Amino acid sequence: MSLYKNGQVKQNIFKRVFLFYYNGFRNMPEYGVKLWLIILLKLFVIFIILKFLFFNDTLKTKFDNDKDRSEFVLDKLTDIK
Amino acid sequence: MEHIDFSLVDWSRAQFALTALYHWIFVPLTLGLSFIIAMMETIYVKTGNEEWKKLTKFWMTLFGINFAIGVATGIILEFEFGTNWSNYSWFVGDIFGAPLAIEGIMAFFMESTFIAIMFFGWDKVSKKFHLAASWLTAVGANLSALWILVANGWMQNPVGMHFNPEKARNEMADFAEILFSPTAVNKFLHTISSGYVLAAIFVIGISSWFLLKQRSVLFAKRSIAVAAMFGLVFSLFNIMTGDSSAREIATTQPMKFAAMEGLYEGSTTSPLVAFGILKDSDNPNAPNEKEFSVAIEIPDLLSYMAYMKPGVFIPGIRDLVHGNEKEGIMSYFEKIKRGHVAIKALKDYKNALKARKTDKAEQLKKMFSDPEFLNNNFKYFGYGYYYSEDEDVLKDNAHLIIPPVPVTFYAFHTMVGLGMLFLIIFILFLYFSIKNKLENKKWLYITGIIAVPLVYLAQQSGWIVAELGRQPWTIQDVLPTIASVSQVDTSTVQITFWLFAVVFTALLIAELKIMFTQIKKGPKEGGN
């Protein structure tokens, strides 16, 4: 198996993928940098602030197993006179 | 009904509506513009003309801005399911979970991989490989939408499931029935084609601005040629799927259909209201009070439109609430009583389990597999939450199962009217494009520019019809919002509502600012 292709040393697939993204991010235009900052800020707000402070999955956090969750919902669904 | 905190239900609904409508500002452009870009790039690859590459890159930039701002806004809806709508989330079981899981995986692998190649891959991968990535981005985005819309279709018309009383949740019985239900198919086709119409109008509107400013004229003309052709084809397709959606709604969600048409009194000769103004009322939900103050009607057309044959009875809101024996329409009062029997059976089952009365529990459990019980009672399970032993209260409660008619009616007519306007706009732009007479048409450019906010209005109206028109149901006939909400603090929902309003508005302003800057730079600077 040759270590060369077109006179250059072949890089392994992971390195090529890494360099592809690395060069892509490095050569990004100014608006791209702004967008990434917005994306990161948005992900921070969504996953850190909103998820942890306000959006606990009610049934997952209240109960340890599906049986208890079923019983709870069954109680709620049949809470009629 | 007495234990329900209506303020909590309303705030939870408002929050979900706010999040969904904001999310839907970004999604349709992604769905349609990705295909327009792929078509432009195909022309570039086929012709080798660098101008088409520049053109592709410019629209790709706007696509990227929209995608980046919109990405992850839909995740919040999933948070809301778990926190504010936990009873609903549990009740829908794996039917909702499976399509959403497929969507998540597909979106991550397909979109994120191929979008990276689209943006970073110019001159690093071959032209054909890059083109394939652009097409696969478009296909991936639309396939993601498929799974979400299948889940939504099931909420509008629950099929292919079996309710397991022991687990208090629905279990998937037939995946194909869910995937290929007429509601899901119509919803998917109508929604994605509306996204294509939006994207085509978006391209035409911005190109019109360039023509108005007499900048990048050739670029604008070429963009209009592609967008007008694409828009015309999918505008026609959108009208067709809208028509089949409405016919399907007439069968599966007759109350929504009556609200869309502002039809209070059913008839075999119902007119189609092309334009109408509903009279004001103190109680917009109460029948016997609403009529049109102004209406342009096409006589007898509604029956034909709904069932493709004349003389078919279309039930009005009054027929559905009070029943119509002659036409075989069961009243809401009767459905409430039948639903109450189903809820009572589930309650008895729960109590038998707790009291360890195994035989009784087994007997009651079997009822939920009995076709007669399913058809006569469980089918109306959700209506049971409006039951009262007092007949007068029950009758009052039945009126709570009517959606907000004026909003549904106006949203529907806004959507349809604008849909027709876009068809005309596509025809005009395509005609002048083919005749090469696009220059010096100021009136046409201004029409194209004005159409951009209007197409967003049409999109939002469409979702208002789909979701507000089916109130109070989270799952049609089976689960109302009052039984779906979690017992969380109303103030928490209020805080997050305003938090979302601020965050989403900031995102929208950021998108518009960055997008306008790139548009002003134009294809040469912005596209490279």
Side-chain angles (χ1 to χ4, degrees):
Chain A
M1 202 168 70
S2 168
L3 282 171
Y4 295 90
K5 190 180 178 186
N6 301 330
Q8 290 184 321
V9 179
K10 255 196 207 172
Q11 291 164 333
N12 73 44
I13 182 79
F14 296 107
K15 196 169 180 184
R16 275 160 57 200
V17 170
F18 171 78
L19 286 175
F20 177 83
Y21 279 92
Y22 179 75
N23 290 328
F25 280 113
R26 259 189 55 179
N27 299 320
M28 213 159 41
E30 194 192 328
Y31 77 87
V33 178
K34 274 185 196 167
L35 288 173
W36 271 104
L37 285 175
I38 291 171
I39 290 173
L40 293 175
L41 184 68
K42 181 171 54 175
L43 292 177
F44 175 78
V45 170
I46 291 175
F47 286 103
I48 307 298
I49 299 179
L50 290 176
K51 182 68 181 165
F52 283 107
L53 291 184
F54 296 104
F55 283 96
N56 290 318
D57 192 312
T58 330
L59 293 178
K60 266 188 191 163
T61 48
K62 266 188 185 170
F63 305 102
D64 293 330
N65 56 64
D66 279 357
K67 190 172 174 293
D68 290 346
R69 290 181 192 115
S70 299
E71 278 179 15
F72 176 79
V73 176
L74 207 50
D75 278 338
K76 290 289 166 197
L77 290 179
T78 55
D79 183 20
I80 54 162
K81 278 188 176 175
Chain B
M1 293 287 290
E2 286 79 4
H3 315 294
I4 303 298
D5 178 356
F6 282 99
S7 158
L8 172 66
V9 177
D10 288 343
W11 275 103
S12 300
R13 282 182 55 207
Q15 189 186 77
F16 199 87
L18 175 84
T19 323
L21 291 177
Y22 256 111
H23 181 55
W24 195 251
I25 291 174
F26 307 110
V27 178
L29 187 61
T30 302
L31 297 179
L33 194 55
S34 55
F35 274 120
I36 293 178
I37 289 166
M39 286 164 68
M40 289 171 171
E41 194 180 342
T42 305
I43 299 172
Y44 160 61
V45 172
K46 286 269 180 200
T47 61
N49 184 338
E50 288 293 316
E51 287 296 313
W52 280 99
K53 183 180 179 183
K54 199 163 72 182
L55 198 136
T56 306
K57 279 190 162 186
F58 174 78
W59 294 111
M60 234 177 71
T61 302
L62 302 192
F63 169 84
I65 295 166
N66 180 70
F67 186 85
I69 302 285
V71 76
T73 50
I75 294 277
I76 296 167
L77 294 169
E78 293 197 33
F79 291 173
E80 287 171 26
F81 281 135
T83 307
N84 301 349
W85 303 98
S86 60
N87 291 352
Y88 159 84
S89 295
W90 185 260
F91 189 79
V92 296
D94 59 350
I95 293 169
F96 222 71
L100 291 187
I102 299 171
E103 188 273 339
I105 293 164
M106 282 188 97
F108 181 77
F109 283 107
M110 287 194 76
E111 288 179 50
S112 55
T113 309
F114 295 122
I115 280 179
I117 295 170
M118 268 176 84
F119 283 90
F120 298 160
W122 292 107
D123 308 321
K124 286 183 188 151
V125 296
S126 71
K127 275 184 187 178
K128 285 187 178 171
F129 189 79
H130 192 276
L131 179 63
S134 297
W135 278 104
L136 286 168
T137 298
V139 172
N142 281 268
L143 279 179
S144 290
L146 168 71
W147 301 111
I148 299 286
L149 294 168
V150 164
N152 183 272
W154 182 82
M155 289 158 72
Q156 312 267 350
N157 180 20
V159 291
M161 89 294 193
H162 169 73
F163 179 68
N164 182 339
E166 196 180 346
K167 292 184 176 171
R169 70 193 317 187
N170 286 283
E171 291 169 349
M172 197 182 293
D174 189 341
F175 182 66
E177 200 182 350
I178 296 170
L179 183 60
F180 297 113
S181 94
T183 311
V185 172
N186 277 317
K187 184 156 280 294
F188 174 65
L189 296 177
H190 189 58
T191 308
I192 59 160
S193 57
S194 75
Y196 302 166
V197 169
L198 179 137
I201 290 286
F202 179 84
V203 171
I204 286 174
I206 291 169
S207 304
S208 295
W209 182 80
F210 279 106
L211 290 178
L212 193 67
K213 294 279 171 191
Q214 294 186 317
R215 282 180 53 192
S216 309
V217 172
L218 185 61
F219 149 84
K221 282 180 173 178
R222 283 177 168 164
S223 297
I224 285 173
V226 174
M229 177 56 84
F230 182 77
L232 179 61
V233 169
F234 284 103
S235 182
L236 290 168
F237 186 71
N238 190 242
I239 291 167
M240 272 167 53
T241 53
D243 178 57
S244 56
S245 285
R247 270 188 274 122
E248 196 269 322
I249 288 167
T251 315
T252 54
Q253 296 173 300
M255 180 56 89
K256 185 200 273 187
F257 188 78
M260 280 157 56
E261 294 293 341
L263 185 68
Y264 280 85
E265 207 70 64
S267 147
T268 52
T269 55
S270 299
L272 184 81
V273 180
F275 173 81
I277 297 173
L278 293 160
K279 278 184 181 169
D280 284 338
S281 165
D282 291 330
N283 182 2
N285 279 336
N288 299 316
E289 287 186 20
K290 278 278 176 206
E291 277 173 22
F292 290 101
S293 55
V294 179
I296 300 170
E297 298 176 335
I298 306 166
D300 301 346
L301 195 63
L302 197 60
S303 294
Y304 186 79
M305 290 286 281
Y307 290 94
M308 301 303 280
K309 53 184 175 185
V312 180
F313 183 81
I314 307 286
I317 292 167
R318 286 173 204 145
D319 301 289
L320 293 163
V321 174
H322 298 274
N324 185 327
E325 212 172 318
K326 190 182 154 206
E327 299 294 339
I329 294 165
M330 189 192 293
S331 71
Y332 270 14
F333 315 134
E334 178 62 22
K335 287 181 181 178
I336 289 172
K337 287 173 187 169
R338 290 186 180 212
H340 179 71
V341 171
I343 298 175
K344 187 81 175 35
L346 188 63
K347 189 175 186 172
D348 291 344
Y349 169 72
K350 179 197 76 179
N351 291 337
L353 274 183
K354 281 189 179 166
R356 297 183 188 281
K357 292 178 180 170
T358 323
D359 289 347
K360 193 181 177 189
E362 271 308 305
Q363 202 182 346
L364 286 160
K365 191 180 176 184
K366 275 182 191 163
M367 283 175 74
F368 288 87
S369 303
D370 175 14
E372 206 178 310
F373 175 78
L374 291 177
N375 199 44
N376 290 336
N377 297 96
F378 187 73
K379 193 175 162 186
Y380 309 111
F381 188 87
Y383 289 87
Y385 290 100
Y386 296 87
Y387 180 79
S388 171
E389 282 172 1
D390 184 330
E391 198 73 20
D392 291 334
V393 176
L394 187 149
K395 286 188 174 173
D396 280 346
N397 286 348
H399 293 127
L400 297 172
I401 319 177
I402 303 171
V405 179
V407 183
T408 310
F409 173 83
Y410 290 124
F412 177 66
H413 284 76
T414 302
M415 176 188 71
V416 173
L418 289 174
M420 295 299 170
L421 175 71
F422 301 143
L423 178 67
I424 296 167
I425 289 175
F426 290 134
I427 291 170
L428 285 173
F429 271 95
L430 191 62
Y431 172 78
F432 288 117
S433 185
I434 290 168
K435 294 277 177 191
N436 201 16
K437 287 181 178 171
L438 269 175
E439 279 176 67
N440 302 318
K441 296 274 185 307
K442 200 176 169 187
W443 63 271
L444 190 64
Y445 309 152
I446 291 170
T447 307
I449 294 166
I450 292 173
V452 177
L454 292 180
V455 80
Y456 280 93
L457 175 66
Q459 286 285 337
Q460 300 291 326
S461 300
W463 274 109
I464 288 169
V465 175
E467 297 304 302
L468 216 62
R470 70 184 175 98
Q471 288 304 312
W473 307 114
T474 51
I475 306 168
Q476 184 70 35
D477 296 347
V478 181
L479 202 69
T481 48
I482 52 171
S484 305
V485 284
S486 317
Q487 294 305 305
V488 289
D489 208 11
T490 310
S491 61
T492 311
V493 185
Q494 287 171 326
I495 291 169
T496 46
F497 174 90
W498 292 112
L499 203 62
F500 286 160
V502 171
V503 170
F504 281 130
T505 307
L507 284 174
L508 190 61
I509 291 169
E511 163 161 18
L512 292 174
K513 202 165 173 280
I514 299 172
M515 207 174 258
F516 285 149
T517 307
Q518 292 305 314
I519 292 168
K520 277 182 194 163
K521 279 185 182 174
K524 275 182 188 166
E525 294 82 0
N528 291 317

